[in-house]
Amino acid sequence: MTFYDNRLKQVPTGLRKVLYLNWQLVVLIVAVASVGILMLYSIAGGDFDIWARRQAQVFAAGLVLMFAVAFVPIWFWRSMAVAAYLLAFALLIFVEFKGKIGMGAQRWIDFGVIQFQPSEMMKFTLVMVLAAYYDWLDNKRVSRPLWVLMPVLLTVLPTILVLMQPNLGTSLMLLLGGATVMFAAGVSLWYFVAVASLAGGAIAGVFLTRGTPWQFLHDYQYRRIDTFLDPTADPLGAGYNIIQAKIALGSGGWSGKGFMQGTQSRLNFLPEKHTDFIFTTLAEEFGFVGAFSLLVLYALIIGFCLVSALQNRDRFSSLLIIGVAANFFFYIAVNLSMVMGMAPVVGVPLPLLSYGGSAMLVILVGFGLVQSAHVHRPR
Amino acid sequence: MRRTPKDKEDIARSLTRRTLMLGGAMTAMVAALGVRMRYLQVDQADEFRLLAEENRISIRLIPPTRGLIQDRNGKIIAGNEQNYRVVITREQAGDVELVMRRLAGIIPMTPEELEETVNDVVRHSAYVPVIVRDRLSWDDFSKIAVNAPALPGVLPEVGQSRFYPRDVDFAHVVGYVGPVSERDLAEREDPDPVLRLPKFQIGKIGVERWMDDTLRGTAGTKKIEVNAVGRVMRELERNEGDPGADIRLTIDADLQNFTQARLGIESAAVVVMDVQNGDVVACVSSPSFDPNLFVRGISHVDYQALMENDHRPLANKTVSGAYPPGSTFKMVTALAALEAGVIDENYRVRCPGYLEFGGRRFHCWSRGGHGTVSLTRSFAESCDVYYYDIAQKVGIDKIAEMGRRLGLGVRHDMPMSAITEGNMPDKAWKQQRHKAEWRIGDTINASIGQGYVLASPLQLAVMTARIASGRAVAPRLVRMIDGQEIPVPEAPSLGIAESTLAAIRRGMDEVVNGERGTAKSSRIVDVSMALAGKTGTSQVRNITAAERARGVVSNDQLPWNRRDHALFVGFAPAAAPRYAVSVVVEHGGGGSAAAAPIGRDVILYALSGGIPPLDAYPASQRGRIESMLKDLSLRDPTTGAAPKAEKA
């Protein structure tokens, strides 16, 4: 891609690696994170200290971490995949019993300086182990049932552990991330069709039998699903967040109310405005122009990742890049669908924008892996 | 693992295909998000912008400042004073009960009060501030302000409340204000939204009530920005509304005060009117009450005491009390007879002490009789037989017609509560009311203002003013609204010959100033302020034949509530009338002894514009009058401050 590509016959070494980073990606990431810090400054009512300062510090640390990961050869990471996965899995089991309870769920390990969520670590170790698995696996066996079962177990077991915390958003992300790597690795489409129709059939069964004597769930469970699917039916309870979010978005209009002029966020009508709902403030203050621009930036990040994956002749690297990019994409898609009222409210942050240390670090470590794969690609 | 070149190619092709499929799916999703964004932010932007405005902007009413009520010279009768109070807003308080319990720990509050306020708060909309406590002391007020962080939604504020500096003097005329009740709202067709503000006060009786629309003003509005929990962030726009208009009454506060004091503890009523323009310069009902008690919320004990008092302090006797006018009615009978031409000014009647009619004796008050009586003497000595005689000649219908011309049996419209029409009976009335024939005895009773005839002190004052001026003056209570003089239309002439009226006035002059006049002891010796008038004593019981046989018991020996009413009507100066006065002292005994002196003192005060000069009184009475005047506890004429409590 870059000017140096054609001249280089060997993998760069030492500090020369800096020149061969995917700099377009770095610039885009810095741009999106800067927007995030700017929004946190605005949401705090023009106070840099409440959220923005810490977010900037975490981002700076994450950027250093990204470069560090990028400088380590990709084959080292491949060799670490199984060990990292097992460690993350062990930690998940550990928090199941000893984790710190926050926001009603066991998710954290408190290291004093930083609180650590093993489920975040699992996000990229799962992608790593699946990529390594398919790199190792004979291509002819990819779609054989027994060889499909293995990655399914690798994905589903941590998903169940995270779901038990309970953390619906992250478990959904793990499931989708694992499935995407399997899809990219070339697992027969029929498996995906079968799983999709089974899930669809189960959901249809649950709803079609509703009101009949042989319904699957209790009535109160159905009602819970109803408000989950349509929060507007409960405007002061579950629906309040989503209604206020839509008002913030819509009232931004074409060009927005202006920086720090968002009434919905400034007057506290917006819930979780610095975390999961940060996009609504951006859309309120910068309007359709600003919101759409952010969407374009995100699309560019994913696009550069996919192009990098296509150019890479190393199977582990390609699958890893696709896995990381897919994870990133699913976060964006689920979060934006949620705040725009297209999907039920699931606690999923907006990557690089939402306030939160460990999510930010995990994303940047993921991009570090992408960069490492890019720098050390076979030539 | 090691792979063959073909294997590698297969893998690369498969990966490329799958990646492109993924990329395509992602692109589709991004496009969907973009479309949704456009739909929300461009297509529906206006709708959401409106919702965002509704979210943040709330419109509140600013209660207008109530207009002042002043006396004819601008002295304050009803004003507004600063009131430290504490309000609570539900949406900011969260747990109202918890916050209220904390508040009860700071200011004294009974459990009932606490419960009542909590209910009150819950009844109102979440954003409406409800007054928890009114009239806090500065101490309590600052305690709440200091504890504000622990009391979310509680706001100490300075409001205005009605205050009546001349308390008892104007309780009946001006009335008082109170919180809007459900009934007040139901009475109005399209109630002003400001009435729905919690504890907003409106006039309940008197001028406060009947001129409430004028006094209330128009509510202002303020647009405020509120945040998600309803806290006011800033004011966006303010429209001050209009304060209520000030009203200036025709009443003279000092004269009113003097009159109130002069009546003392009597159950009595006095009306003083300007005979030219109808201005009511004093309108006093005694005993009175403190309207400030009602504004603050009167205690059960105080209210019970007012209700149980047999002198009826709550009743406005000046306009609501209907009394048999007694001999003060004789001017009507005489005028009717003169006008009808059945008698002339020189007509005389022989009074043997009674008149026999149809086998029944109608007694004159003077058992021995008055001998031959002229018109003038019939007034001066209040001979009843003279009127029995002329009433038969003229007939009740003509008398009733004259009574109405002079303002009796007619409702005079003033902004006061419960104004009575009195009663001016005639043949048709009795037929309709009692389904019975009018009898000659009824006429004889009516001729001296007994029987069916009833009049309020206001009506008697109007009658006297009309006789004194010869014109149909109407009483009025309001002199100015918002600084604008209210024009008084020239009162039309009564249409009674001046010479006839002069004869009546001469008779009234003789009552006070004549050698044998019934009100001789109440005369004013200063000729420029000379008084003319008529006394009356009206029975509130029927004197039975048995009683008569025993000899009529004198008033002093009867229980208070069976004694006669004492009445006096008069005008002064006799030569060029300026004020008319009417006095009714309930169960006061004789008019000449109980009512006329009050009438004289009050009219003298009105004419001289202050404490009556002693040299207006007959020399023999000056000593007594001087000490009486000195003992009256009057307000400070400039500040209106209440007199100091008497020494124990």
Side-chain angles (χ1 to χ4, degrees):
Chain A
M1 268 308 266
T2 58
F3 174 70
Y4 299 94
D5 274 3
N6 299 329
R7 298 190 186 174
L8 198 80
K9 298 288 179 247
Q10 302 282 276
V11 170
T13 50
L15 280 175
R16 287 175 63 85
K17 287 179 184 178
V18 174
L19 297 172
Y20 298 95
L21 287 171
N22 192 340
W23 279 105
Q24 297 96 322
L25 211 49
V26 175
V27 169
L28 286 168
I29 288 167
V30 171
V32 172
S34 306
V35 170
I37 292 163
L38 199 66
M39 290 325 298
L40 289 172
Y41 173 77
S42 165
I43 291 167
D47 190 336
F48 194 72
D49 290 334
I50 298 183
W51 294 304
R53 182 182 300 284
R54 184 165 161 78
Q55 182 83 342
Q57 285 165 351
V58 169
F59 179 66
L63 221 48
V64 171
L65 201 59
M66 183 179 91
F67 287 127
V69 171
F71 273 53
V72 176
I74 191 69
W75 45 86
F76 173 78
W77 294 122
R78 178 169 48 202
S79 66
M80 293 300 295
V82 175
Y85 178 82
L86 290 177
L87 176 67
F89 196 80
L91 288 174
L92 267 183
I93 292 175
F94 175 76
V95 289
E96 198 58 45
F97 298 103
K98 289 224 131 132
K100 188 174 171 173
I101 300 199
M103 314 272 286
Q106 292 177 317
R107 294 178 189 179
W108 310 88
I109 295 177
D110 201 337
F111 285 129
V113 209
I114 189 163
Q115 290 175 328
F116 178 69
Q117 282 179 281
S119 59
E120 296 283 353
M121 183 183 173
M122 183 50 95
K123 276 181 210 158
F124 64 87
T125 54
L126 175 65
V127 169
M128 278 167 77
V129 83
L130 289 177
Y133 172 79
Y134 283 111
D135 185 42
W136 164 80
L137 191 66
D138 186 350
N139 200 33
K140 295 178 187 68
R141 291 175 173 165
V142 164
S143 292
R144 301 240 173 100
L146 216 59
W147 299 102
V148 170
L149 184 64
M150 185 65 185
V152 166
L153 286 179
L154 286 175
T155 308
V156 169
L157 288 179
T159 302
I160 289 172
L161 282 174
V162 173
L163 196 58
M164 279 162 63
Q165 285 181 347
N167 185 345
L168 185 60
T170 304
S171 57
L172 188 68
M173 290 297 119
L174 287 175
L175 209 57
L176 288 170
T180 309
V181 176
M182 288 171 75
F183 179 82
V187 175
S188 171
L189 279 176
W190 293 112
Y191 284 103
F192 295 95
V193 173
V195 169
S197 33
L198 261 176
I203 292 168
V206 164
F207 279 97
L208 285 177
T209 57
R210 183 176 187 176
T212 64
W214 50 87
Q215 61 184 26
F216 285 92
L217 304 172
H218 291 291
D219 281 338
Y220 77 87
Q221 287 171 320
Y222 277 111
R223 279 196 295 277
R224 226 179 258 176
I225 291 173
D226 284 344
T227 36
F228 179 73
L229 292 178
D230 181 17
T232 50
D234 183 12
L236 289 176
Y240 178 81
N241 290 3
I242 198 64
I243 289 169
Q244 294 300 339
K246 277 167 76 180
I247 291 174
L249 254 127
S251 64
W254 177 259
S255 56
K257 295 175 183 168
F259 184 54
M260 309 233 303
Q261 301 296 312
T263 56
Q264 286 285 101
S265 61
R266 198 163 45 74
L267 301 174
N268 276 327
F269 287 102
L270 282 178
E272 314 260 343
K273 55 188 180 177
H274 62 295
T275 57
D276 292 356
F277 282 81
I278 192 166
F279 178 72
T280 52
T281 304
L282 176 105
E284 184 183 22
E285 298 192 350
F286 296 111
F288 177 69
V289 173
F292 195 76
S293 303
L294 180 76
L295 197 62
V296 168
L297 287 181
Y298 276 136
L300 283 175
I301 289 176
I302 294 162
F304 276 109
C305 285
L306 292 185
V307 167
S308 171
L310 284 175
Q311 285 179 336
N312 206 316
R313 279 174 283 157
D314 179 47
R315 187 163 166 77
F316 173 76
S317 298
S318 296
L319 291 177
L320 181 69
I321 296 171
I322 290 171
V324 169
N327 242 315
F328 190 69
F329 169 79
F330 287 128
Y331 267 87
I332 296 161
V334 171
N335 180 279
L336 292 189
S337 309
M338 169 180 90
V339 300
M340 289 198 283
M342 297 159 78
V345 176
V346 190
V348 170
L350 189 58
L352 297 176
L353 242 66
S354 288
Y355 180 75
S358 65
M360 176 72 96
L361 289 178
V362 165
I363 288 160
L364 290 172
V365 166
F367 281 117
L369 290 170
V370 170
Q371 294 285 7
S372 171
H374 187 79
V375 172
H376 302 102
R377 66 187 183 276
R379 284 162 165 103
Chain B
M1 71 170 286
R2 302 274 95 199
R3 288 187 169 101
T4 63
K6 185 187 173 296
D7 234 13
K8 282 188 177 172
E9 208 174 297
D10 281 353
I11 287 173
R13 201 177 301 130
S14 149
L15 187 86
T16 308
R17 199 168 50 233
R18 287 289 168 100
T19 307
L20 289 178
M21 283 167 77
L22 271 175
M26 287 174 177
T27 311
M29 185 64 201
V30 168
L33 291 171
V35 167
R36 175 71 173 176
M37 228 174 254
R38 204 195 114 85
Y39 170 72
L40 289 175
Q41 297 199 275
V42 181
D43 299 346
Q44 292 204 310
D46 290 340
E47 190 183 315
F48 282 119
R49 220 170 270 143
L50 194 71
L51 288 172
E53 290 294 281
E54 274 176 17
N55 255 347
R56 81 181 175 108
I57 291 173
S58 139
I59 293 177
R60 309 249 165 112
L61 287 175
I62 309 170
T65 305
R66 197 172 172 83
L68 304 177
I69 302 177
Q70 301 162 319
D71 90 329
R72 65 180 297 114
N73 300 314
K75 290 180 180 168
I76 307 287
I77 299 168
N80 304 310
E81 64 174 359
Q82 293 220 317
N83 173 15
Y84 298 112
R85 64 188 181 199
V86 54
V87 299
I88 184 167
T89 314
R90 177 151 56 97
E91 89 187 334
Q92 288 163 24
D95 186 347
V96 174
E97 240 184 294
L98 177 78
V99 174
M100 282 300 299
R101 244 179 287 126
R102 282 196 206 142
L103 190 60
I106 297 170
I107 55 173
M109 199 183 288
T110 63
E112 293 83 50
E113 277 178 315
L114 198 146
E115 193 185 338
E116 203 178 299
T117 317
V118 171
N119 291 340
D120 203 26
V121 173
V122 172
R123 217 175 21 249
H124 284 100
S125 306
Y127 60 85
V128 174
V130 173
I131 297 173
V132 178
R133 246 328 188 29
D134 238 356
R135 293 168 202 282
L136 284 167
S137 68
W138 173 249
D139 249 28
D140 287 341
F141 186 71
S142 37
K143 265 191 225 159
I144 292 169
V146 167
N147 286 293
L151 302 165
V154 172
L155 190 72
E157 60 173 34
V158 183
Q160 284 194 327
S161 71
R162 205 61 159 164
F163 179 61
Y164 302 100
R166 294 174 178 262
D167 45 52
V168 295
D169 288 0
F170 286 91
H172 295 112
V173 175
V174 164
Y176 48 83
V177 296
V180 182
S181 67
E182 284 304 315
R183 236 181 68 199
D184 292 327
L185 285 175
E187 265 173 22
R188 290 166 168 76
E189 221 161 77
D190 183 21
D192 188 338
V194 75
L195 298 184
R196 298 196 188 271
L197 283 179
K199 300 210 176 173
F200 186 79
Q201 301 214 306
I202 57 166
K204 292 293 183 177
I205 63 163
V207 174
E208 290 274 32
R209 172 176 181 173
W210 297 103
M211 299 197 71
D212 194 67
D213 289 345
T214 311
L215 291 164
R216 192 192 310 143
T218 343
T221 51
K222 56 179 173 185
K223 264 191 185 170
I224 49 172
E225 187 177 79
V226 293
N227 72 0
V229 289
R231 188 170 296 282
V232 178
M233 304 304 282
R234 62 188 169 135
E235 202 171 279
L236 300 172
E237 207 181 298
R238 196 183 177 94
N239 166 16
E240 278 298 350
D242 293 316
D246 294 348
I247 290 178
R248 235 182 228 211
L249 301 181
T250 53
I251 290 181
D252 182 318
D254 296 331
L255 175 63
Q256 182 87 355
N257 177 233
F258 174 81
T259 311
Q260 191 83 54
R262 178 68 182 82
L263 289 178
I265 55 158
E266 294 280 13
S267 178
V270 171
V271 175
V272 183
M273 247 175 88
D274 186 311
V275 302
Q276 296 304 326
N277 59 16
D279 279 4
V280 175
V281 292
C283 184
V284 177
S285 179
S286 170
S288 186
F289 61 93
D290 183 358
N292 292 307
L293 290 179
F294 284 81
V295 181
R296 287 164 202 170
I298 190 165
S299 73
H300 183 72
V301 178
D302 286 346
Y303 190 67
Q304 206 61 25
L306 288 175
M307 289 298 284
E308 280 167 5
N309 189 332
D310 65 352
H311 283 38
R312 295 177 295 126
L314 291 176
N316 183 4
K317 292 160 191 150
T318 54
V319 297
S320 330
Y323 306 92
S327 299
T328 59
F329 186 76
K330 285 177 179 166
M331 282 83 83
V332 177
T333 312
L335 273 171
L338 287 165
E339 270 291 282
V342 295
I343 62 165
D344 65 13
E345 289 156 37
N346 302 314
Y347 184 74
R348 281 161 204 272
V349 170
R350 204 188 70 82
C351 168
Y354 59 88
L355 180 78
E356 218 168 56
F357 197 88
R360 199 180 144 190
R361 273 190 180 187
F362 293 90
H363 289 271
C364 189
W365 70 267
S366 166
R367 306 303 302 266
H370 291 96
T372 302
V373 182
S374 69
L375 177 66
T376 310
R377 235 190 104 201
S378 78
F379 273 110
E381 295 175 39
S382 205
C383 171
D384 293 337
V385 170
Y386 189 90
Y387 294 91
Y388 299 156
D389 180 277
I390 64 173
Q392 285 177 69
K393 288 192 163 68
V394 68
I396 186 64
D397 285 349
K398 287 253 168 61
I399 294 172
E401 196 206 308
M402 179 55 71
R404 282 190 279 270
R405 246 159 111 183
L406 294 173
L408 304 183
V410 181
R411 188 178 180 280
H412 298 290
D413 195 32
M414 293 208 298
M416 280 205 244
S417 298
I419 298 177
T420 182
E421 204 176 278
N423 192 30
M424 190 62 254
D426 57 17
K427 287 176 181 163
W429 172 84
K430 191 177 180 191
Q431 192 62 51
Q432 200 198 353
R433 179 71 198 268
H434 292 281
K435 306 273 174 281
E437 195 82 356
W438 184 269
R439 293 169 184 282
I440 196 73
D442 295 329
T443 306
I444 287 170
N445 270 332
S447 71
I448 57 159
Q450 293 283 161
Y452 300 119
V453 186
L454 293 173
S456 69
L458 174 70
Q459 286 172 324
L460 292 176
V462 170
M463 172 191 81
T464 313
R466 286 184 179 178
I467 291 168
S469 67
R471 286 186 291 119
V473 285
R476 66 164 198 160
L477 194 60
V478 179
R479 185 180 172 203
M480 275 188 207
I481 292 177
D482 208 13
Q484 294 289 307
E485 282 277 356
I486 295 182
V488 201
E490 176 86 10
S493 165
L494 280 174
I496 300 171
E498 186 50 37
S499 61
T500 313
L501 284 169
I504 300 294
R505 291 185 205 129
R506 213 162 35 242
M508 291 173 78
D509 187 80
E510 200 67 14
V511 170
V512 184
N513 302 310
E515 222 16 70
R516 306 185 62 169
T518 53
K520 189 180 79 174
S521 61
S522 295
R523 73 182 179 278
I524 295 171
V525 293
D526 183 337
V527 188
S528 67
M529 297 194 276
L531 178 68
K534 182 75 193 81
T535 58
T537 305
S538 73
Q539 290 171 9
V540 289
R541 63 202 159 112
N542 286 318
I543 297 173
T544 57
E547 267 181 298
R548 206 174 295 281
R550 256 188 274 118
V552 178
V553 190
S554 85
N555 263 303
D556 308 341
Q557 289 159 291
L558 284 169
W560 176 78
N561 62 1
R562 293 192 61 214
R563 293 179 197 167
D564 298 337
H565 292 322
L567 295 94
F568 177 76
V569 300
F571 57 84
R578 181 147 173 239
Y579 294 115
V581 65
S582 71
V583 182
V584 175
V585 181
E586 285 189 348
H587 312 294
S592 51
I598 294 171
R600 168 178 68 175
D601 294 343
V602 169
I603 215 161
L604 258 179
Y605 190 103
L607 285 171
S608 57
I611 301 292
L614 276 180
D615 50 14
Y617 292 93
S620 59
Q621 296 176 20
R622 284 176 194 163
R624 190 173 50 78
I625 297 282
E626 186 179 11
S627 66
M628 184 273 290
L629 290 177
K630 217 172 67 198
D631 285 349
L632 292 180
S633 52
L634 297 175
R635 285 172 196 284
D636 183 304
T638 45
T639 64
K644 288 192 193 82
E646 279 170 53
K647 285 173 207 136

